[in-house]
């Protein structure tokens, strides 16, 4: 892993969420400065802010993109107790010339009486639907029946979860065998042993969402939750960010029509649990194939987790943010976006050997002592073998692998990649 | 307080940004009262102030990529050309088994290696011509990585793919060493190109190098030069030359058996031993040491450590002069011993050593595992594993997950290709050859390819269509339709939604067309609408649009009776939406006013009924709104009545005649 680009976000306050669009060509950021910014990737790979506007009258917690089948649509949620839907307007040649795009508010969803903590669009096969959850413990599901008219959203379902909600995740499976399903996490931190993850399933008969399961083993506050893309599996995979990272599988059991009114029951297993973040884990999210989970926690790191072909979950990469104090206005130390791993190698997934040995050759460098010495990984790909010092002879002469010249000092960052 | 990170996955990149979690507050300065809604007690634990309190206005977003090698321009050749070899290998499955199959697989392996070498040469040239020292060092690093890859691959080829037997095995290993131990080549060149090689200070080093690598002819050639300069010791040179000439070597063909070879070798060995013991070479330490090397004397060989540079060169030299008929399964003992002796206590084995050792031990799985750890890309392990799998080696070694490992590595490699804006097309074929998850990976990856132009969309679409990936085809078309509509390109939007078989969207766009027509009195995108064909049936509204346009064409071509029939049919068969009837009736006006009668009496009655239905329906809800519409209705009634009168007369005349 390596930092390809670094961009000044230019928000006037803390950024709470970043979000890629479906194709990875646009991104959105939201902040306590009450605004959302949209960024577009140009042909040469640079990112430009093409819109920045005030969206709420409080901190904006989350921003998320609708599927491009529905156009260019964003949803945001805020401490101001609302969620909002935004649509980009194509037009005004003036804006285009200035490289700016124009976003208009299509609706404000005002049903919540407390801070709206999460907002997520439903999988596209369900149509244009949106779920929100709020600190008062209610999950709300809205639908825009006419995809060409985003100003009309109807509140379809209100699910009372009893506990303050912090996060929601739709099950992305589009299989007919799976009913629409949404998982809700709670960050309620009063001392109790209530399950902090609940799973609601849509019941075709009653046309309502009903609680299908609760993860009884998760009793600590939950900050984020994410279903993995399904890959055609019969079971579901759910990642939970609580005091550690947990990965559950939910295997649907045969529906018992008589007793549970058509609700699916699940056989739940925990397949992985990692406390490497030391304390609270705040975010979990899957890559597009659902094969790598990323988590972020109090230790200031993003960690990548991957199962090998024998279904063992191991850490395959670490992305570090530097928590060392920023002093004297020096910004270099702010973010040593350095990676524990340059390649998501089989290393850990295969043998779980020490996380420090990522490359060939072993980094015999000043690793000890400095917490932040791992920025070496920002260097060009780790030499399998050190290059020879006299590579510029006219003859085709390859340095011998075994022969090594002076190792480069590890903290020399190529300028274009330094952060 | 420690900074934390929020992040987002994109298809190819991860977006990372500093933040702080756990603040459930969030009223910025002054906004608390601004909302006008009372704050709920207990809902807040804190409040992140405006730009104060550590809130960094300097926050940066970081775009993080996972697969760095994919983006190295000079490696494109490697990816492109190995793709062709890979695809060819998958197709060659049906070829006959046996020796020809083995030859075929060895050839494939050689092809892969020549791609690596070609790439290495390019990279080397790039390193030479690079002015930027950072870039130069990056290129030389790549050269080193590629050369190590080729070294490993070549050894795997000899041991696993070709599975050379005792005898030829040694010859192959010698080739391997000669090809890869090239640090000394410059020394050789220097000496050979000097005016008088035998006077060169490195002369004996070069002779030793040749002997250590078993390059006897070259060694003898050099020695002959030295001999002619030293007539006094000519005899000594002759004897050594003779020994070197007579050294038996294993043959590649079946011309001699191993026993024959061993017998000959034994004789030769004894002969060397005699000359050494009777002090023939005592007067020349260089020649004496060569004789000791020929005898496989470990200490004598080890003295030339600097000239061998690596333990595996040492291994091959030792095998050449001590165990020329080494069997594959004996390699591991010699290899381990040689590595231990060569490295001594001074350095521990490095990953490359471990990989080569695993190969000598025939631990294929270990080789792949170690390479995955050591290399910064998936290219090597994915292709090598695939080839070994085709050699049916992974199963026979009792790796019950053998084929899964192949797929696992190919999926990783192809996923990496998909994160590149143009290399993704190569990835498609790799996914195609992953039986278990290839398809679903392709589905997930391909729908994320940015559809920046229609051309690119069509390319992606073709790939999906060829593989009957209906959901993805539909989604791509819907995205393109929506994009076109947003940019007011109605024709394109319509054709994309037809392709998506998206009836609702087609209806919506048809409505836009009709609305545009009502406003402007003409159609855009005539080509498309005129050639809808059967796709017209996708939605009622689209059918109407097509038929209505057909009416206009007939009218334009002055085929009035047909036009009239069609117009009437649009209403009576309820193809036209009610909202459009007034427009249709108005279109009937000029037909009613033609010189000759067009609508028959029956048709005129139908028209009248349509008009009355329309006005009746309208007056139910509301009075006709404006005078213009009232006047239009009156005009229509008049025209219809007049037409009826004319047609009665005409039809009466016809009947009468």
């Amino acid at each position: 892993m390596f930092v390809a680009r670094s961009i000044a976000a230019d928000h006037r306050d803390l950024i709470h969420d970043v979000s890629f669009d479906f194709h990875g060509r646009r991104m959105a950021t939201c902040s306590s400065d009450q605004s959302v910014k949209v960024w577009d990737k140009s042909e040469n790979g640079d990112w430009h802010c093409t819109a920045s506007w005030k969206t709420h009258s409080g901190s904006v917690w989350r921003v998320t993109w609708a599927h491009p089948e529905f156009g260019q649509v964003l949803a945001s949620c805020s401490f101001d107790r609302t969620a909002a839907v935004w649509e980009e307007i194509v037009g005004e040649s003036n804006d285009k010339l200035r490289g700016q795009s124009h976003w208009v508010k299509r609706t404000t969803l005002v049903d919540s009486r407390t801070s709206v903590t999460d907002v997520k669009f439903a999988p596209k096969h369900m149509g244009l639907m949106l779920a929100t959850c709020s600190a008062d413990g209610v999950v709300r599901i809205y639908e825009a029946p006419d995809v060409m008219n985003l100003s009309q959203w109807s509140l379809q379902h209100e699910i009372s979860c009893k506990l303050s909600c912090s996060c929601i995740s739709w099950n992305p499976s589009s299989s007919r065998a799976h009913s629409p399903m949404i998982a809700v996490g709670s960050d309620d931190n009063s001392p109790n042993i209530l399950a902090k993850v609940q799973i609601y399933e849509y019941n075709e008969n009653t046309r309502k969402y009903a609680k299908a399961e609760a993860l009884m083993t998760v009793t600590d506050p939950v900050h984020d939750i994410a279903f993995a893309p399904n890959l055609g599996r019969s079971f579901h995979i759910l990642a939970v960010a609580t005091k550690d990272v947990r990965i559950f599988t939910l295997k649907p059991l045969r529906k018992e029509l008589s007793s549970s009114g058509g609700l699916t029951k699940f056989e739940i297993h925990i397949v992985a649990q990692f406390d490497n973040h030391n304390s609270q884990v705040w975010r979990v999210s899957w890559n597009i194939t659902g094969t790598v989970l990323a988590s972020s926690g109090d230790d200031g790191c993003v960690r990548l987790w991957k199962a090998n072909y024998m279904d063992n979950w191991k850490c395959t990469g670490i992305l570090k943010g530097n928590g060392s104090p920023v002093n004297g206005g020096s910004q270099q130390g702010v973010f040593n976006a350095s990676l524990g791993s340059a390649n998501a190698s089989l290393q850990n997934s295969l043998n779980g050997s020490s996380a420090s040995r990522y490359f060939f050759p072993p980094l015999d460098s000043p690793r000890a002592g400095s917490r932040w010495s791992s920025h070496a990984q920002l260097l060009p790909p780790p030499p399998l073998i050190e290059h020879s010092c006299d590579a510029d002879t006219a003859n085709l002469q390859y340095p011998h692998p075994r022969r090594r010249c002076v190792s480069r000092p590890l903290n020399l960052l190529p300028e274009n990649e330094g952060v | 307080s420690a900074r934390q990170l929020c992040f987002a996955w994109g298809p190819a990149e991860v977006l990372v940004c500093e933040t702080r979690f756990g603040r459930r507050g969030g009223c910025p300065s002054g906004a608390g009262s601004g909302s006008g809604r009372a704050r709920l007690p207990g809902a807040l634990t804190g409040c992140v102030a405006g730009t104060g309190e550590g809130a960094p206005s300097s926050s940066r977003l970081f775009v993080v990529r996972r697969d760095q090698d994919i983006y190295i321009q000079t490696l494109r050749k490697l990816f492109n050309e190995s793709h062709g070899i890979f695809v060819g290998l998958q197709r060659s499955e049906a070829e006959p088994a046996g020796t020809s199959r083995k030859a075929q697989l060895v050839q494939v392996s050689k092809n892969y290696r020549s791609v690596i070498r070609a790439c290495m040469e390019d990279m080397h040239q790039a390193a030479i011509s690079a002015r930027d020292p950072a870039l130069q060092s990056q290129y030389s690093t790549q050269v080193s990585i590629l050369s190590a890859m080729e070294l490993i691959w070549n050894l795997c080829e000899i041991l696993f793919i070709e599975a050379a037997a005792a005898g030829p095995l040694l010859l192959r290993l010698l080739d391997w060493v000669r090809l890869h131990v090239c640090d000394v080549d410059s020394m050789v060149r220097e000496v050979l190109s000097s005016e008088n090689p035998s006077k060169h200070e490195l002369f004996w080093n070069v002779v030793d190098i040749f002997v250590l690598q078993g390059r006897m002819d070259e060694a003898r050639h050099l020695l002959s030069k030295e001999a002619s300069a030293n007539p006094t010791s000519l005899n000594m040179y002759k004897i050594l030359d003779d020994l070197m000439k007579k050294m038996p070597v294993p043959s590649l063909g079946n011309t001699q058996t191993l026993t024959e070879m061993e017998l000959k070798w034994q004789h030769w060995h004894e002969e060397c031993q005699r000359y050494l013991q009777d002090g023939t070479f005592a007067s020349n330490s260089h020649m004496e040491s060569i004789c000791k090397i020929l005898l496989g004397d470990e200490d004598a060989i080890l003295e030339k450590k600097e000239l061998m540079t690596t333990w595996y060169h040492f291994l091959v030299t030792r095998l050449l002069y001590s165990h020329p008929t080494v069997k594959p399964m004996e390699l591991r003992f010699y290899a381990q011993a040689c590595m231990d002796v060569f490295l001594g206590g001074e350095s521990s084995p490095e990953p490359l050593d471990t990989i080569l050792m695993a190969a000598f031990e025939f631990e294929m799985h270990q080789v792949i595992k170690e390479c995955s750890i050591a290399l910064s890309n998936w290219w090597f392990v994915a292709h090598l594993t695939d080839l070994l799998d085709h050699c049916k080696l992974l199963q026979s070694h009792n790796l019950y997950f053998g084929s899964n490992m192949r797929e696992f590595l190919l999926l990783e490699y192809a996923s990496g290709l998909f994160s590149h804006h143009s290399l993704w097309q190569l990835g498609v074929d790799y996914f195609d050859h992953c039986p278990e998850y290839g398809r679903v990976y392709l589905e997930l990856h391909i729908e994320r390819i940015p559809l920046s132009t229609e051309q690119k969309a069509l390319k992606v679409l073709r790939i999906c269509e060829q593989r009957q990936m209906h959901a993805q085809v539909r989604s791509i078309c819907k995205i393109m339709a929506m994009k076109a509509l947003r940019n007011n390109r109605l024709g394109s939007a319509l054709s994309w939604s037809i392709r998506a078989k998206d009836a609702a969207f087609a209806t919506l766009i048809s409505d836009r067309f009709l609305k545009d027509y009502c406003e402007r009195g003409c159609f855009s995108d005539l080509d498309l609408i005129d050639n809808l064909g059967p796709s017209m049936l996708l939605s009622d509204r689209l059918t109407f649009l097509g038929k209505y346009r057909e009416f206009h064409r007939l009218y334009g071509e002055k085929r009035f009776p047909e036009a009239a029939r069609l117009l009437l049919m649009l209403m009576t068969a309820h193809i036209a939406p009610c909202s459009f009837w007034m427009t249709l009736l108005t279109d009937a006006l000029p037909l009613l006013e033609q010189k000759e009668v067009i609508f028959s009496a029956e048709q005129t009655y139908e028209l009248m009924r349509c008009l009355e239905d329309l006005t009746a329906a309208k007056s139910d809800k509301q009075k006709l709104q404006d005078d213009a519409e009232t006047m239009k209705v009156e005009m229509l009634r008049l025209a219809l009545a007049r037409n009826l009168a004319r047609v009665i007369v005409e039809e009466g005349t016809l009947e009468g005649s």
Side-chain angles (χ1 to χ4, degrees):
Chain A
M1 278 173 74
F2 67 106
V3 172
R5 279 212 163 45
S6 132
I7 305 145
D10 212 24
H11 271 288
R12 282 176 291 106
D13 207 333
L14 210 57
I15 294 173
H16 294 291
D17 197 18
V18 291
S19 172
F20 261 124
D21 82 335
F22 186 74
H23 290 117
R25 301 282 304 177
R26 315 191 84 181
M27 58 192 188
T29 53
C30 64
S31 155
S32 267
D33 70 6
Q34 309 181 355
S35 75
V36 164
K37 287 179 196 281
V38 170
W39 307 76
D40 282 275
K41 192 182 196 173
S42 64
E43 279 308 311
N44 63 17
D46 289 335
W47 289 90
H48 300 284
C49 179
T50 55
S52 172
W53 72 101
K54 181 171 155 47
T55 48
H56 288 277
S57 52
S59 287
V60 188
W61 300 132
R62 295 268 198 166
V63 61
T64 187
W65 295 83
H67 193 280
E69 279 181 21
F70 303 111
Q72 295 299 309
V73 180
L74 280 172
S76 59
C77 67
S78 163
F79 177 74
D80 73 1
R81 303 165 207 174
T82 67
V85 176
W86 309 88
E87 187 177 20
E88 187 185 30
I89 299 300
V90 180
E92 264 105 301
S93 48
N94 275 348
D95 283 347
K96 263 191 180 165
L97 283 177
R98 284 186 292 121
Q100 293 296 297
S101 64
H102 192 57
W103 291 77
V104 294
K105 187 192 275 192
R106 288 306 187 196
T107 195
T108 307
L109 306 170
V110 295
D111 302 279
S112 171
R113 299 175 56 223
T114 54
S115 176
V116 181
T117 49
D118 200 357
V119 60
K120 295 275 165 67
F121 284 102
K124 73 168 195 305
H125 66 268
M126 293 171 60
L128 188 50
M129 293 184 98
L130 189 66
T132 65
C133 71
S134 48
D136 57 0
V138 182
V139 172
R140 294 180 178 84
I141 296 172
Y142 299 88
E143 181 173 17
D146 176 2
V147 298
M148 294 312 292
N149 180 3
L150 299 186
S151 54
Q152 282 182 8
W153 289 80
S154 56
L155 177 58
Q156 296 285 327
H157 303 281
E158 260 188 320
I159 309 167
S160 175
C161 301
K162 310 287 195 300
L163 290 169
S164 164
C165 298
S166 55
C167 50
I168 41 181
S169 174
W170 289 95
N171 184 340
S173 171
S174 60
S175 157
R176 282 167 203 279
H178 302 142
S179 306
M181 189 192 290
I182 190 165
V184 187
S186 166
D187 59 355
D188 179 283
N189 58 4
S190 52
N192 59 43
I193 51 153
L194 297 171
K196 299 302 188 300
V197 175
Q198 300 174 36
I199 290 155
Y200 293 87
E201 191 188 42
Y202 184 67
N203 185 320
E204 299 289 347
N205 302 327
T206 61
R207 304 193 173 194
K208 282 199 165 81
Y209 281 85
K211 196 196 291 194
E213 278 297 346
L215 301 186
M216 301 311 293
T217 54
V218 184
T219 53
D220 294 291
V222 167
H223 308 294
D224 202 7
I225 194 164
F227 273 111
N230 187 267
L231 296 180
R233 288 181 292 246
S234 62
F235 59 92
H236 311 296
I237 298 180
L238 182 69
V240 176
T242 172
K243 63 177 182 184
D244 48 21
V245 182
R246 294 185 201 180
I247 303 171
F248 292 92
T249 55
L250 289 83
K251 193 173 167 194
L253 299 173
R254 236 161 44 86
K255 289 191 184 188
E256 287 172 31
L257 291 163
S258 50
S259 60
S260 56
L263 269 183
T264 316
K265 283 286 153 196
F266 296 92
E267 192 181 305
I268 299 172
H269 287 292
I270 184 159
V271 292
Q273 185 167 7
F274 305 107
D275 56 6
N276 308 50
H277 287 295
N278 300 328
S279 180
Q280 296 299 308
V281 182
W282 295 101
R283 288 287 170 92
V284 282
S285 155
W286 297 92
N287 69 340
I288 61 167
T289 48
T291 46
V292 182
L293 177 73
S295 63
S296 148
D298 270 343
D299 60 348
C301 294
V302 173
R303 291 172 190 272
L304 302 184
W305 310 95
K306 183 167 174 33
N308 70 0
Y309 51 85
M310 295 162 84
D311 264 339
N312 287 326
W313 290 85
K314 293 283 163 57
C315 179
T316 64
I318 303 166
L319 190 69
K320 245 176 204 142
N322 191 340
S324 59
V326 183
N327 43 24
S330 152
Q331 295 299 315
Q332 278 99 328
V334 172
F335 193 96
N336 277 343
S338 52
L339 292 297
S341 154
N343 59 328
S345 74
L346 275 183
Q347 183 208 2
N348 289 296
S349 30
L350 277 165
N351 61 3
S353 69
S354 91
S356 60
R357 244 194 76 187
Y358 285 94
F359 328 123
F360 218 145
L363 297 171
D364 44 342
S365 58
R367 164 169 293 277
S370 160
R371 250 176 95 199
W372 312 112
S373 62
S374 53
H375 49 244
Q377 281 82 350
L378 278 178
L379 286 167
L384 187 60
I385 33 296
E386 294 291 339
H387 58 96
S388 102
C389 291
D390 49 2
D392 54 350
T393 49
N395 304 311
L396 203 59
Q397 220 182 39
Y398 297 109
H400 191 268
R402 181 75 214 186
R403 172 81 56 84
R404 53 178 46 186
C405 307
V406 194
S407 294
R408 272 166 301 167
L410 282 169
N411 49 3
L412 271 184
L413 288 180
E415 266 175 22
N416 53 345
E417 283 177 353
V419 177
Chain B
S1 63
R3 290 176 194 283
Q4 295 140 7
L5 304 174
C6 61
F7 61 90
W9 282 101
E13 296 158 327
V14 184
L15 191 58
V16 179
C17 178
E18 283 177 359
T19 186
R20 256 175 305 150
F21 292 112
R23 304 280 186 140
R24 281 294 117 185
C27 55
S29 34
S33 55
S35 71
R37 293 156 91 186
R39 279 162 58 177
L40 292 174
L44 314 173
T45 57
C47 181
V48 175
T51 48
E53 208 217 324
S57 56
S58 59
S59 276
R60 295 192 76 82
L61 299 163
F62 297 94
V63 178
V64 179
R65 285 178 180 165
R66 300 197 62 206
D67 247 308
Q68 179 154 29
D69 286 4
I70 292 293
Y71 296 93
I72 296 175
Q73 192 61 28
T74 30
L75 285 178
R76 280 189 74 100
K77 191 171 182 174
L78 181 70
F79 302 135
N80 272 318
E81 300 199 357
S82 55
H83 164 260
I85 302 171
F86 172 83
V87 172
L89 175 59
Q90 313 306 310
R91 292 197 182 127
S92 71
E93 209 61 85
E95 298 285 320
T99 45
S100 68
R101 173 67 176 162
K102 186 195 255 186
Q104 192 185 16
L105 290 165
V106 170
Q107 190 52 50
V108 169
S109 175
K110 286 187 171 149
N111 291 346
Y112 276 128
R113 284 202 292 122
S114 70
V115 171
I116 301 178
R117 286 200 87 87
C119 201
M120 202 153 76
E121 280 169 38
D122 289 355
M123 198 73 85
H124 181 74
Q125 287 307 321
I128 291 167
S129 51
R131 301 224 176 275
D132 175 17
L135 201 60
Q136 194 171 44
S137 93
Q138 193 192 329
Y139 286 137
S140 354
T141 304
Q142 283 295 330
V143 171
S144 308
I145 294 174
L146 288 166
S147 84
M149 285 202 237
E150 213 255 330
L151 175 80
I152 299 165
W153 192 301
N154 195 354
L155 185 61
C156 292
E157 179 183 304
I158 296 166
L159 299 177
F160 307 150
I161 300 164
E162 189 179 352
L169 174 63
L170 180 72
L171 298 180
R172 290 276 178 266
L173 289 175
L174 276 172
D175 289 341
W176 175 65
V177 161
R178 286 170 198 159
L179 189 62
H180 292 281
V181 179
C182 34
D183 282 16
V184 290
D185 285 2
S186 57
M187 196 194 292
V188 171
R189 247 189 312 272
E190 193 190 322
V191 170
L192 291 185
S193 61
S194 69
E195 257 176 55
N196 191 352
S198 60
K199 292 282 176 289
H200 198 283
E201 53 175 350
L202 296 174
F203 172 80
W204 284 104
N205 277 354
V206 173
V207 177
D208 287 343
I209 287 167
F210 286 146
V211 173
L212 290 167
Q213 294 185 10
R215 292 154 77 171
M216 289 308 178
D217 293 340
E218 287 157 278
R220 287 171 56 211
H221 178 70
L222 265 191
L223 275 177
S224 68
K225 290 187 178 177
E226 173 74 2
S228 50
N230 292 300
T232 46
S233 43
L234 196 59
N235 192 40
M236 194 161 66
Y237 281 106
K238 258 194 171 152
I239 293 169
L240 187 61
D241 182 71
D242 195 44
L243 286 177
M244 287 164 79
K245 193 171 85 181
K246 281 198 293 192
M247 184 175 103
V249 283
S251 74
L252 272 179
N254 289 323
T255 49
Q256 65 177 0
T257 64
L258 275 186
T259 335
E260 279 169 1
M261 160 71 199
E262 274 164 3
L263 210 63
K264 276 191 208 166
W265 196 79
Q266 197 60 45
H267 284 301
W268 173 79
H269 197 260
E270 281 161 13
E271 196 180 347
C272 295
Q273 191 79 48
R274 267 199 311 280
Y275 284 118
L276 185 67
Q277 275 164 6
D278 66 18
T280 308
F281 305 114
S283 61
N284 187 320
S285 63
H286 293 300
M287 289 204 270
E288 186 167 39
S289 119
I290 289 175
C291 184
K292 282 183 180 166
I293 292 173
L294 296 184
L295 279 164
D297 182 310
E298 190 176 293
D299 293 334
I301 296 174
L302 264 182
E303 262 176 43
K304 313 291 175 193
K305 200 171 170 178
E306 281 305 306
L307 298 178
M308 290 183 291
T309 66
T310 66
W311 65 268
Y312 43 90
H313 188 337
F314 174 56
L315 165 70
V316 175
T317 304
R318 274 211 61 195
L319 291 174
L320 173 65
Y321 295 112
S322 308
H323 312 279
T325 55
V326 64
K327 294 185 183 63
M329 285 307 146
E330 295 163 356
L331 274 177
R332 59 169 67 212
F333 308 112
Y334 299 121
Q336 188 65 55
C338 286
M339 188 170 88
D340 292 347
V341 169
F342 194 88
L343 298 185
E346 43 195 274
S347 57
S348 54
E350 285 173 14
L352 180 60
D353 304 324
T354 321
I355 291 168
L356 296 175
M357 184 56 73
F360 283 123
E361 288 169 346
F362 284 81
E363 297 287 350
M364 235 167 286
H365 179 228
Q366 190 69 18
V367 172
I368 292 161
K369 178 177 135 183
E370 297 281 341
C371 288
S372 312
I373 298 166
L375 294 166
S376 61
N377 66 55
W378 293 103
W379 179 89
F380 182 81
V381 277
H383 287 88
L384 182 62
T385 308
D386 174 61
L387 181 56
L388 293 176
D389 193 55
H390 277 87
C391 297
K392 313 250 180 273
L393 286 169
L394 295 181
Q395 282 91 336
S396 67
H397 279 245
N398 283 333
L399 303 178
Y400 64 97
F401 42 76
S403 62
N404 277 342
M405 183 167 69
R406 168 190 175 271
E407 175 154 331
F408 180 88
L409 295 170
L410 287 176
L411 290 173
E412 285 298 330
Y413 174 63
S415 297
L417 290 176
F418 258 90
S419 66
H420 189 275
H421 59 88
S422 64
L423 289 173
W424 65 268
Q425 293 167 80
L426 304 177
V428 175
D429 289 309
Y430 288 91
F431 283 142
D432 279 349
H433 291 101
C434 293
E436 203 178 345
Y437 284 114
R439 169 141 182 139
V440 60
Y441 266 63
L442 180 59
E443 286 173 357
L444 288 167
H445 277 290
I446 201 147
E447 62 181 10
R448 303 289 183 136
I449 296 296
L451 308 169
S452 35
T453 61
E454 297 240 334
Q455 232 175 348
K456 198 162 177 195
L458 288 171
K459 188 187 268 176
V460 175
L461 202 60
R462 212 158 35 239
I463 291 168
C464 295
E465 280 170 346
Q466 280 162 358
R467 288 160 183 79
Q468 272 98 45
M469 290 163 38
H470 303 299
Q472 283 68 30
V473 168
R474 220 176 109 86
S475 182
I476 289 163
C477 295
K478 284 179 94 160
I479 292 170
M480 292 307 287
M482 179 57 99
K483 205 165 145 183
L485 183 65
R486 277 165 36 83
N487 288 292
N488 255 320
R489 288 181 285 113
L490 288 187
S492 171
L494 183 58
S495 60
W496 280 112
S497 55
I498 288 170
R499 241 181 137 151
K501 300 195 175 55
D502 185 342
F505 214 68
T507 299
L508 195 135
I509 297 164
S510 305
D511 276 339
R512 283 278 186 92
F513 267 109
L514 294 168
K515 190 168 145 257
D516 276 11
Y517 170 75
C518 289
E519 283 166 6
R520 300 208 305 256
C522 63
F523 283 109
S524 58
D525 300 281
L526 284 179
D527 271 2
L528 175 68
I529 303 173
D530 283 347
N531 296 300
L532 281 172
S535 54
M536 196 189 282
L537 301 173
L538 178 61
S539 96
D540 291 351
R541 200 59 47 82
L542 184 60
T543 314
F544 172 64
L545 175 66
K547 290 286 174 195
Y548 185 54
R549 163 60 198 156
E550 198 178 320
F551 161 75
H552 277 267
R553 213 181 56 232
L554 292 170
Y555 186 88
E557 291 165 2
K558 301 211 184 319
R559 292 153 70 182
F560 297 133
E562 286 160 274
R565 244 195 328 272
L566 179 57
L567 188 70
L568 192 58
M569 189 270 282
L570 287 177
M571 285 182 285
T572 54
H574 290 277
I575 294 169
C578 287
S579 59
F580 217 77
W581 279 29
M582 190 48 96
T583 312
L584 294 179
L585 287 165
T586 316
D587 284 334
L589 262 180
L591 288 170
L592 291 166
E593 304 289 338
Q594 291 291 325
K595 245 190 225 138
E596 68 269 43
V597 179
I598 292 162
F599 287 104
S600 70
E602 203 181 330
Q603 285 175 323
T604 316
Y605 287 129
E606 292 271 17
L607 276 176
M608 289 170 135
R609 195 174 56 80
C610 291
L611 182 61
E612 290 318 306
D613 281 358
L614 183 64
T615 46
K618 281 216 166 158
S619 53
D620 276 356
K621 285 184 210 150
Q622 66 206 84
K623 291 260 184 248
L624 287 179
Q625 290 156 334
D626 51 294
D627 295 345
E629 187 128 340
T630 321
M631 218 165 73
K632 216 185 255 176
V633 173
E634 288 312 314
M635 270 170 61
L636 271 167
R637 282 193 176 130
L638 193 65
L640 286 165
R642 237 181 358 225
N643 189 66
L644 191 59
R646 285 161 64 197
V647 77
I648 286 171
V649 170
E650 189 168 292
E651 285 176 3
T653 316
L654 284 173
E655 270 169 39
S657 63

